[in-house]
Amino acid sequence: MADRSAPSCHLRLEWVYGYRGHQCRNNLYYTAAKEIVYFVAGVGVVYSPREHRQKFYLGHQDDIISLALHPERVLVATGQVGKEPYICVWDSYTVQTVSVLKDVHTHGIACLAFDLDGQRLVSVGLDSKNTVCVWDWRKGKLLSMAPGHTDRIFDISWDLYQPNKLVSCGVKHIKFWSLCGNSLTPKRGVFGKTGDLQTILCLACARDEVTYSGALNGDIYVWKGINLVRTIQGAHAAGIFSMNACEEGFATGGRDGCVRLWDLNFKPITVIDLRETDQGYKGLSVRSVCWRGDHILVGTQDSEIFEIVVHERNKPFLIMQGHCEGELWALAVHPTKPLAMTGSDDRSVRIWSLIDHALIARCNMEEPIRCAAVSTDGIHLALGMKDGSFTVLRVRDMTEVVHIKDRKEAIHELKYSPDGNFLAVGSNDSSVDVYGVVQRYKKVGECVGSLSFITHMDWSSDSKYLQTNDGNGKRLFYRMPSGKEVTNKEELKGIQWASWTCVSGVEVNGIWPKYSDINDINSVDANFIGQVMVTADDYGIVKLFRYPCLRKGAKFKKYLGHSAHVTNVRWSHDHQWVVSIGGADHSVFQWKFVPDRKLKDTLHIAPQESLVDSNSDESDSDQSDVPELDSEIEQETQITYRRQVYKEDLPQLKEQCKEKRKSAASKRRERAPGNSIRLHFVHGYRGYDCRSNLFYTQTGEIVYHVAAVGVVYNRQQNTQRFYLGHDDDILCLAIHPLKDYVATGQVGRDSSIHIWDTETIKPLSVLKGYHQYGVCAVDFSADGKRLASVGIDDNHTIVLWDWKKGEKLSAVRGSKDKIFVVKINPYMPDKLITVGIKHMKFWRRAGGGLIGRKGCIGALGRTDTMMCAVYGWTEEMAFSGTSTGDVCIWRDVFLIKTVKAHDGPVFSMHALEKGFVTGGKDGVVALWDDTFERCLKTYAIKRAALAPGSKGLLLEDNPSIRAISLGHGHILVGTKNGEILEVDKSGPITLLVQGHMEGEVWGLATHPHLPICATVSDDKTLRIWDLSPSHCMLAVRKLKKGGRCCCFSPDGKALAVGLNDGSFLIVNADTLEDLVSFQHRKDVISEIRFSPGTGKYLAVASCDNFVDIYNVMSSKRVGICKGASSYITHMDWDVRGKLLQVNTGAKEQLFFEAPRGKKQTIPSLEVEKIGWASWTSVLGSCCEGIWPIIGEVTDVTASCLTSDSKVLATGDDFGFVKLFRYPAKGKFGKFKRYVAHSTHVTNVRWTYDDSLLVTVGGADTSLMLWTYEMEGHRDSRQCDSEESDLDSEEDGGYDSDVTRENEINYTIKALSTNIRPMFGIKPHLQQKEPTLDERQGVVRGSSSLFQTTS
């Protein structure tokens, strides 16, 4: 049975024995329903004494250490420890999360308190500053924060009689805070002569600015304002840990085991000494009290909870007990009765009834207990001790049978043989001793094969063999009772084991994660009948696996609750329950086992919601039992959007080049050109890695994105308007329900989301500060007020925004794998769904967090990769499209059915008033009725169906569909190949927009006398584009290889194309049919040029450092230009067709004579005099100024000169298109710069009449047309240029005062002196005035120190 799937049965937490009394205080209260709320380990517990029932809150993933009760006594706030601890506010009736407060504290949350009307919550962190935070907890919003104190704070409370005042106390201090606006200001309490300065442990506020506080010496200090006015001495004999105010007065509890009640003026009413009562004991210490009416709750250091009725105060009722101090390791279950035995470092052994959920016996031993076992007849209980001894007790009355000490080191494991005759005892001394039970535990054998301490043991069913595991992970076998080691494989084959608690062995291979330390699984127990086993590990997780579990990295269900190590776990004798114990949290958890057949009945119970998936997260292993990803999705998940340099880094990079700037600023530089360009039309649509990013606007225009441009396209006039607020790739787009605003998200180090108006093209809001690297999905809520976004950081963070205010409402880590889509529920803006790689999650907002539940697949299969999702006709219906072509239909979080919709992935889905439309990789658009019962109509996207008005040509039939939208009687379709099509309901298809497909576009050439250009790309196509107002693709041809360059012949009849395999073609410019083709090179052809005039010669440059010259007429190679030390990047002919200028990757500018290819050396003055037929070079004195200050980081990839030789256009690796005056002499020329492409601009060309500039952008696949505008023609467009890299310092500079003020370095004196290391002579003792440099040196040093500490 090599099944790696998770078992279908599961566990449900039924009872938790214990209470966290150690290191916590004030953590036990009555709720409004008279239930008792407290916590233990990582679980919030609500206990009903009337029904003897517990409910559990499982929203935390580490130890809870603080708790506060809302004034209405229904809601509870709890805070946890951890690296990124958070606070949960939850409902004690439903035990569901109401709000999550996170992202502020570190280390842990030590104290919590609600204010009088319950609107605000204050929290104190465990960080070094003990930060105090005030929250509007419903919104999850931080209102104010301030450093609390340099030492620990133990208690904090709102003044219930004055608004906006708080009091906190702790190690040797008490502070009185006032909250004004968003600032918290403290005043320290003045102890004066009235009392000693000492640690204050707890406090309570009364009217008239009076505060009562409990001190470490047992006194009560009374404060008025910030002054200590009197002390009540000897209120307790030792530290007062807890103080609770109620209508009748105050209750205090101390380390002396007493509870005292005081009236409202702090006059004593009565004392209850718990040590003197029946259940009391010496050393009892009170950590928490709660007084309500005539009941008092008391929590003790030793994990007990007492309830005292005031009239019978000497008979406290013990309602909860647990182990205390040290670690809890020993666990055994009774062989015939529902009993569990535990033993701990607190030296007690306890017997718990699993039916009554109560402690029924306890006995104190001399030594800490580390392991336990019950004999097969249930009469004897053996306990292994930490000192190497073991004791046997009678279970009946806990009297001792024997006490034997044969070892010096701790006993880790002991087990009775199934026939009851022997007891095997495994110790830290690496050996197992065997004792005869009937011979009054006489030692009869010893097993000594191990080299490390013994961790686990199991007997065979016939009691003849024993298997052991040791600390090295070795598994050994012994013959019993002699203890002789068995190594013969044959002998071992048929052994049946009576129990399985070992962690190594073939049967349990699968419990180990792929990469794991051998000691991090502490315990295993197999249930042979149910074929499941349960494991306990160091991460606080109890897991359920199938048994046997043979293959590494098997699937499991996992259950959280224990906070740190789970030390032991066992099935009860009848397999009804699992009992697990926590090492440091001292708690005993009892889980109900729900077998498969019962699951059907429990399905109506929704899975436990949590911030961490407590109900069975899939396992850690890669899911090799999931079908292979579709190739297209596979490709997409591998795209990385990380950049080496982001545009946000520019200012910094320029800063680093300060020296260069200074030298440049002193030189006279050329002005920027007077003429400018304006973006006019973009060919392209981003479909290859985006989805659902194409919509109709209110006015029937079409909005989509490509590169860094948001495009609004008018299909009647075939014109475009552009939103140019982004500066890098846009990855997602969503439209407001009113169809007038859109949101777009981009790539960036701190990436931004822009919400802009499609009519005015003006930004309404820009959201940033939360997503790293980029935003891959956005969605508006139905009321249009909220926006959800998903980042491409490693956790795929999900953020919910109030976009008009620019405020983050909630955030949560989404998934380790890529998330493709987020959708907000149209009926409930607090709910959303996300879909992605093996991911379908339903989220609801809770304050500053979001709480997720996985989609419940039930018996219908496993989580597939989901590519798209929509909500249906009611708030609980949702639909998702999978990577295998199914549509999943969900009600609430349950999958109710799946429908086969497409061949291959369903990439896009759109909900209509009555039905749905879907599109898939199979190139089919399908219309469905509103239940996905019937497919009403399908449209195949085929060339044959193209209508005559199309603006281009379909590259292939049935292209993969990535976006679908409906409106204006049409279906709008976006394809992976970068086409946008409009499908008429009656069938004809109009192509509106298209661009290149995925891959980089480098090749660009403009026609010598027509408004036409040609492009060639890595997508293996050569395309001809019409640049006149009809803006369409005229012709396309598929090539055998991708290409990087192309060029028209001077008469425009032929077109040469250089390919990536070293070959090149010359084709007919109209029909694109081959004229000739050659292959002399192996490397990419990087540039290709016809000589001017008759176009007699063709120069072909390649990446293997050569330029070949061919005679076009005779089709022969006539020359080779050698001498370049790197690949060729640019090439230009002179007017006569006799000289070639060549640029290389090593930034060499070389000259060769044509056609022979002889290398020439020409002085730079002469170069300027030569008439060049074209200028596309980026080197030489004429274009020195085009290289930016940060030229080391980024390259200028292309340039092109206008035919009047006045303006040089350049494209660079930053995605900028720039215009310079020509010649651009002198470094760092001034320019106008334009952003629209996202990363590299790979090529720029002017048309034959300079009316347009054409640019292509490598990986963004787009072709952009810019109109060239003369100086007078100035349209005030927002996209107009930024001037230049350098500020115009030479234009007048500053007034001298301004210069001085600008150079002043403001440093806070206090900081600069305190942090500076003190050495040398103090300044006031020095003879001389320190020089300016010394002073600045000091200040600089200290400010940098300051930065590291802050």
Side-chain angles (χ1 to χ4, degrees), residues 393-411:
L393 305 176
R394 290 182 190 83
V395 173
R396 194 180 61 240
D397 53 5
M398 303 290 253
T399 49
E400 188 174 293
V401 182
V402 290
H403 176 84
I404 295 172
K405 179 164 183 189
D406 286 342
R407 295 283 167 197
K408 296 214 171 33
E409 297 183 36
I411 306 294

Side-chain angles (χ1 to χ4, degrees), residues 61 83-84 102-103 611 793 795-798 811-816 819 839 841 843 850:
Q61 87 248 66
K83 201 166 73 186
E84 295 176 349
K102 51 181 217 172
D103 297 339
L611 304 170
D793 54 288
N795 293 312
H796 297 92
T797 309
I798 303 167
V812 71
R813 295 175 171 190
S815 163
K816 286 268 171 277
I819 292 180
H839 168 98
K841 252 187 174 177
W843 304 87
L850 288 156

Side-chain angles (χ1 to χ4, degrees), residues 301-327:
Q301 169 85 28
D302 290 356
S303 310
E304 295 135 338
I305 301 176
F306 290 96
E307 187 168 39
I308 305 170
V309 180
V310 178
H311 310 304
E312 304 175 0
R313 63 191 77 146
N314 48 357
K315 293 215 179 79
F317 181 57
L318 194 49
I319 53 177
M320 176 53 72
Q321 290 168 276
H323 283 282
C324 47
E325 76 178 288
E327 294 203 358

Side-chain angles (χ1 to χ4, degrees), residues 974-1230:
T975 74
K976 177 176 195 258
N977 297 348
E979 297 131 353
I980 296 178
L981 310 150
E982 196 169 53
V983 181
D984 194 88
K985 295 268 167 75
S986 60
I989 298 173
T990 316
L991 194 147
L992 302 173
V993 172
Q994 75 187 125
H996 276 282
M997 302 183 287
E998 191 174 2
E1000 297 203 0
V1001 191
W1002 282 78
L1004 169 67
T1006 49
H1007 193 282
H1009 47 255
L1010 294 173
I1012 286 178
C1013 76
T1015 55
V1016 59
S1017 145
D1018 289 351
D1019 70 4
K1020 303 193 178 118
T1021 60
L1022 166 66
R1023 305 179 184 223
I1024 308 280
W1025 306 87
D1026 186 344
L1027 306 181
S1028 68
S1030 72
H1031 296 307
C1032 65
M1033 186 172 85
L1034 297 171
V1036 58
R1037 170 179 162 182
K1038 289 197 173 169
L1039 306 166
K1040 62 181 194 304
K1041 281 278 184 288
R1044 282 282 165 115
C1045 56
C1046 57
C1047 177
F1048 281 101
S1049 62
D1051 59 3
K1053 290 195 175 128
L1055 177 60
V1057 185
L1059 302 184
N1060 292 351
D1061 62 352
S1063 64
F1064 69 92
L1065 317 169
I1066 301 179
V1067 300
N1068 178 323
D1070 295 331
T1071 64
L1072 300 189
E1073 287 161 1
D1074 274 9
L1075 300 171
V1076 277
S1077 79
F1078 285 97
Q1079 177 151 15
H1080 281 123
R1081 300 278 167 214
K1082 301 239 174 347
D1083 218 334
V1084 176
I1085 302 294
S1086 54
E1087 181 67 294
I1088 194 162
R1089 281 304 175 85
F1090 281 99
S1091 62
T1094 58
K1096 181 176 174 189
Y1097 295 113
L1098 179 66
V1100 181
S1102 73
C1103 284
D1104 50 13
N1105 314 357
F1106 295 108
V1107 179
D1108 297 325
I1109 300 177
Y1110 294 84
N1111 181 325
V1112 179
M1113 308 306 162
S1114 67
S1115 305
K1116 287 206 169 63
R1117 177 158 67 166
V1118 290
I1120 301 179
C1121 311
K1122 303 176 182 161
S1125 64
S1126 176
Y1127 56 94
I1128 313 293
T1129 55
H1130 304 82
M1131 201 163 53
D1132 290 298
W1133 288 89
D1134 75 333
V1135 186
R1136 302 166 309 148
K1138 293 274 167 64
L1139 191 64
L1140 266 179
Q1141 170 181 200
V1142 169
N1143 291 183
T1144 75
K1147 303 203 173 157
E1148 309 163 286
Q1149 183 186 25
L1150 306 171
F1151 300 95
F1152 296 99
E1153 215 168 36
R1156 292 282 163 265
K1158 186 159 175 265
K1159 190 171 167 191
Q1160 302 289 331
T1161 313
I1162 305 178
S1164 59
L1165 285 173
E1166 296 302 314
V1167 177
E1168 290 173 32
K1169 295 182 188 155
I1170 297 172
W1172 296 100
S1174 62
W1175 184 282
T1176 58
S1177 169
V1178 295
L1179 301 172
S1181 60
C1182 315
C1183 47
E1184 183 183 21
I1186 68 175
W1187 286 87
I1189 290 205
I1190 49 176
E1192 288 82 65
V1193 189
T1194 169
D1195 255 346
V1196 180
T1197 38
S1199 77
C1200 188
L1201 187 58
T1202 52
S1203 41
D1204 62 7
S1205 303
K1206 290 215 171 114
V1207 175
L1208 186 66
T1210 69
D1212 63 32
D1213 281 356
F1214 256 122
F1216 295 133
V1217 175
K1218 297 180 181 175
L1219 298 187
F1220 292 87
R1221 237 172 239 272
Y1222 185 83
K1225 290 189 177 174
K1227 287 190 168 172
F1228 318 127
K1230 294 203 179 169

Side-chain angles (χ1 to χ4, degrees), residues 798 800 822-825 830-833 841-843 871:
I798 303 167
L800 193 59
V822 59
K823 275 275 181 273
I824 301 183
N825 190 320
D830 271 348
K831 292 192 166 178
L832 37 118
I833 44 181
K841 252 187 174 177
F842 296 81
W843 304 87
Y871 276 100

Side-chain angles (χ1 to χ4, degrees), residues 679 681-684 706 994-996 1001 1003-1004 1013-1015 1025 1027 1237 1254-1257 1260-1266:
L679 191 56
F681 202 87
V682 179
H683 288 286
V706 62
Q994 75 187 125
H996 276 282
V1001 191
L1004 169 67
C1013 76
T1015 55
W1025 306 87
L1027 306 181
H1237 286 292
V1254 188
T1255 59
V1256 289
D1260 67 27
T1261 70
S1262 60
L1263 169 70
M1264 301 199 183
L1265 314 184
W1266 308 74

